[in-house]
Amino acid sequence: MKSKTNLFWASKTGIILTAVIIFIVTFGGTLILGGCSNEIESVPYAISRPEYKSGENRNICKMGGIYFDFLNKKSVQVERIKVCFTAISETSNTFTSKNTIEHEIEVKIGSGKMKNLCIPLDDYIFASPPDDLVVSPFYVSEINFSDGSVWKDRFGTYIQ
């Protein structure tokens, strides 16, 4: 007959081994197949910390939007950007469905140029969000360039 202590350690060991296997399969495959060192060197942009601003602005949004600066570090023009983010308020939820949003921005940004961008929240909310809205995590998930190339961050590796 086994003692409860042995069952506890066996169970804990099983959990630890499972976690190690999941980690190796998830991140080991990325290291072997993707090569992290190459991806870090090839990030073709830089962004500022996104901020929520309420009210109408620049004829882009009526209720408010998420603003951030985007710097194109690649030698060709940006044509389209896709961003993913979560917007959270401690005081209320004004989103029509989920508060995790994936949004595409059609924009032309030349090589070495920076542009202030806005993601209008009008399509995602039913009332003006409170001023305590926090945007986190926020990351660029895809960029399309004028030469037809596409850069992707499928896993949110470069979260702002």
Side-chain angles (χ1 to χ4, degrees), residues 138-152:
F138 181 95
Y139 67 97
V140 176
S141 62
E142 186 175 307
I143 304 171
N144 294 76
F145 295 96
S146 58
D147 66 354
S149 63
V150 178
W151 180 89
K152 292 184 181 184

Side-chain angles (χ1 to χ4, degrees), residues 4-153:
K4 290 182 180 178
T5 304
N6 287 342
L7 288 176
F8 172 76
W9 284 108
S11 174
K12 190 173 184 179
T13 302
I15 292 170
I16 291 170
L17 286 174
T18 302
V20 168
I21 290 169
I22 290 171
F23 178 82
I24 290 170
V25 168
T26 304
F27 295 106
T30 301
L31 291 173
I32 292 167
L33 299 175
C36 281
S37 62
N38 291 339
E39 287 186 24
I40 290 172
E41 295 171 13
S42 66
V43 177
Y45 71 92
I47 58 172
S48 64
R49 184 168 302 282
E51 295 180 331
Y52 165 70
K53 294 180 184 176
S54 63
E56 185 173 357
N57 201 347
R58 292 196 266 165
N59 297 322
I60 296 172
C61 56
K62 303 285 184 205
M63 302 296 283
I66 307 299
Y67 293 82
F68 66 101
D69 292 325
F70 183 97
L71 171 65
N72 177 9
K73 299 190 320 184
K74 195 164 176 175
S75 62
V76 293
Q77 180 173 279
V78 168
E79 299 283 325
R80 186 174 57 98
I81 301 167
K82 186 185 293 184
V83 296
C84 297
F85 64 94
T86 301
I88 302 167
S89 168
E90 290 187 14
T91 57
S92 67
N93 181 15
T94 60
F95 289 86
T96 55
S97 60
K98 60 184 181 174
N99 60 345
T100 299
I101 297 169
E102 183 177 72
H103 186 83
E104 289 186 19
I105 304 168
E106 298 287 334
V107 63
K108 307 255 189 253
I109 305 174
S111 175
K113 302 293 182 187
M114 182 164 24
K115 193 165 195 173
N116 184 258
L117 302 175
C118 174
I119 301 165
L121 293 181
D122 298 346
D123 291 342
Y124 307 108
I125 57 177
F126 61 86
S128 182
D131 288 333
D132 71 342
L133 193 69
V134 175
V135 181
S136 181
F138 181 95
Y139 67 97
V140 176
S141 62
E142 186 175 307
I143 304 171
N144 294 76
F145 295 96
S146 58
D147 66 354
S149 63
V150 178
W151 180 89
K152 292 184 181 184
D153 179 4

